[in-house]
């Protein structure tokens, strides 16, 4: 992606290439937004090799570019689309598993500087990152239990026990500390009910508008935003969720991400920033608890 901002800074002649049948990515839109600042910016639409009819999807295009013949065909089309420009911007489709290789090969075949622009979810860079983490984390001693939700969480004197199940049966995890990072409504970290908003795992109190009628303003475009988007659980300065008595629910419980109240990531466009910053603090604080002596090791049974 780095060649994009570089070309913009240099005002280098650049063509944004988009594709027949690809929704959610428009070269015209990019040019409409940036054209005044970037006079040498233009756009061309082409048909993706082998996918000339109907709708095309970034993931399918990315996987198809792992085949050398597709790269060669696309390279020929890009050379033609670029005309006199030396830089081409593409939606992020340059391979799923070895994007650097796909990118380098297309640069070699075309002689152009080529960069990717992320597309809407599920976007290829997101899938790449996820697959990378799924490969790398187990090597760091992390056990991933994907697609399953913790259904029970209980604390005792020296740790916590989490309960869930996968296709092989029940799983019990012993932990010295727990970070609740279950997200908001879409991910199931908060439940919106007719009678109010709930945190389903521990039934932690949720700061929320007094009544459901106050969740949304009258106007969708209300400049103050909508109160429901600031709902969430309260935490103290150490990112420990607070119980109904205003004290930490448990010294071993921490929270991170958008489950935490008083932030409206939709309006502030800062969902990832909030997730990363709060996770940093929660992990730093949880680490202290984990390092305390005489705690039990985590185990899976
Ligand atoms: C369509 C869309 C586009 C977005 N675009 C942007 C963007 O461009 N930039 C940006 O900064 N932000 C963006 N965001 C916001 C960003 O995705 C979120 O703010 C961010 O992912 C929040 O991170 P989180 O870890 O708190 O929660 P989430 O990413 O929601 O993760 C919570 C996870 O917890 C899991 N979970 C829930 N309950 C349990 C349980 N009981 N046991 C185990 N696991 C559980 C869920 O399955 C989920 O995987 C976008 C969000 C959406 C929906």
């Amino acid at each position: 992606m780095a060649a994009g901002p570089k070309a913009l800074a240099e005002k280098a002649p650049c063509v944004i290439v988009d594709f027949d049948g690809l929704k959610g990515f428009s070269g015209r839109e990019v040019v409409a937004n940036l054209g005044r600042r970037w006079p040498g910016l233009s756009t061309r639409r082409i048909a993706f090799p082998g996918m000339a009819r109907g709708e095309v999807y970034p993931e399918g295009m990315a996987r198809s570019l792992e085949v050398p013949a597709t790269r060669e065909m696309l390279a020929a089309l890009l050379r033609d689309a670029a005309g006199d420009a030396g830089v081409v911007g593409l939606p992020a489709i340059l391979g799923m598993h070895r994007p650097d290789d796909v990118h380098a090969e297309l640069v070699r075949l075309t002689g152009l500087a080529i960069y990717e622009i992320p597309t809407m979810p599920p976007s290829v860079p997101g899938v790449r990152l996820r697959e990378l983490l799924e490969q790398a984390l187990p090597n760091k001693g992390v056990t991933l239990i994907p697609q399953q939700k913790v259904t029970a969480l209980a604390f005792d004197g020296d740790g916590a026990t989490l309960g869930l199940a996968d296709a092989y049966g029940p799983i019990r995890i012993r932990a010295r500390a727990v970070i609740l990072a279950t997200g908001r409504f879409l991910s199931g970290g908060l439940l919106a009910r007719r009678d109010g908003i709930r945190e389903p795992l521990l039934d932690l109190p949720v700061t929320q508008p007094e009544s459901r009628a106050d969740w949304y303003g009258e106007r969708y475009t209300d400049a103050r935003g909508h109160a429901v988007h600031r709902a969430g659980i309260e935490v103290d300065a150490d990112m420990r969720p607070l119980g109904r008595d205003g004290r930490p629910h448990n010294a071993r419980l921490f929270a991170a991400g958008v489950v935490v109240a008083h932030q409206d990531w939709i309006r502030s466009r800062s969902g990832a920033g909030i997730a990363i910053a709060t996770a940093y603090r929660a992990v730093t604080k949880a680490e202290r608890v984990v390092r305390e002596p005489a705690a039990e090791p985590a185990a899976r049974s």
Side-chain angles (χ1 to χ4, degrees):
M1 291 167 193
K6 182 167 179 282
L8 169 62
E10 292 167 357
K11 304 282 186 284
C14 170
V15 178
I16 306 291
V17 171
D18 65 12
F19 294 89
D20 288 333
L22 175 64
K23 289 188 174 157
F25 183 90
S26 158
R28 277 183 61 198
E29 184 185 355
V30 178
V31 174
N33 281 317
L34 287 178
R36 238 180 301 165
R37 283 202 284 153
W38 194 347
L41 191 65
S42 61
T43 181
R44 281 281 304 276
R45 179 162 295 184
I46 61 177
F48 191 82
M51 299 185 188
R53 281 162 197 267
E55 202 169 327
V56 295
Y57 299 93
E59 191 168 340
M61 299 158 94
R63 295 199 193 274
S64 147
L65 279 173
E66 279 158 8
V67 178
T70 316
R71 292 201 288 269
E72 279 163 27
M73 286 188 278
L74 181 64
L77 294 170
L78 292 181
R79 269 199 308 268
D80 180 52
D84 294 333
V87 187
V88 162
L90 291 172
I93 54 163
L94 299 180
M96 194 62 84
H97 297 292
R98 296 167 60 182
D100 291 345
D101 292 353
V102 173
H103 176 255
E105 177 72 353
L106 278 175
V107 168
R108 190 184 68 77
L109 289 168
T110 59
L112 298 163
I114 296 175
Y115 63 92
E116 285 189 330
I117 302 165
T119 57
M120 61 188 213
S123 87
V124 167
V127 179
R128 284 180 197 146
L129 200 57
R130 188 186 172 99
E131 292 190 357
L132 200 68
L133 283 172
E134 282 172 352
Q135 285 169 20
L137 287 177
N139 295 331
K140 300 270 182 197
V142 176
T143 303
L144 292 169
I145 307 171
Q147 312 297 341
Q148 308 301 335
K149 292 205 165 166
V150 172
T151 50
L153 170 54
F155 291 89
D156 52 46
D158 50 11
T161 305
L162 298 90
L164 70 162
D166 68 6
Y168 297 98
I171 300 168
R172 197 181 69 97
I173 300 168
R174 272 300 286 174
R176 292 178 218 161
V178 174
I179 299 178
L180 187 77
T182 46
R184 254 185 199 169
F185 303 107
L186 272 180
S187 303
L190 295 181
L191 287 183
R193 296 261 187 85
R194 284 194 163 271
D195 55 355
I197 300 168
R198 278 194 55 227
E199 186 288 308
L201 189 57
L202 289 164
D203 199 22
L204 293 167
V206 176
T207 295
Q208 57 187 289
E210 213 157 285
S211 94
R212 194 159 173 258
D214 304 321
W215 285 5
Y216 294 98
E218 282 291 314
R219 281 192 310 125
Y220 177 70
T221 52
D222 192 323
R224 291 166 299 180
H226 299 279
V228 69
H229 297 317
R230 288 185 296 278
I233 59 171
E234 298 284 337
V235 291
D236 69 4
D238 284 354
M239 301 305 294
R240 291 177 303 189
L242 302 181
R244 290 195 164 69
D245 58 2
R247 297 174 46 203
H249 177 83
N250 189 283
R252 297 177 182 276
L253 178 68
F254 302 85
V258 296
V259 70
V260 175
H262 305 297
Q263 45 77 29
D264 182 351
W265 64 260
I266 298 173
R267 286 189 63 68
S268 58
R269 308 279 190 271
S270 59
I274 287 167
I276 293 166
T278 53
Y280 181 79
R281 191 167 182 91
V283 169
T284 309
K285 298 297 177 184
E287 194 186 10
R288 282 197 203 155
V289 172
V290 171
R291 288 191 190 288
E292 275 168 12
E296 281 184 35
R300 183 185 158 133
S301 60

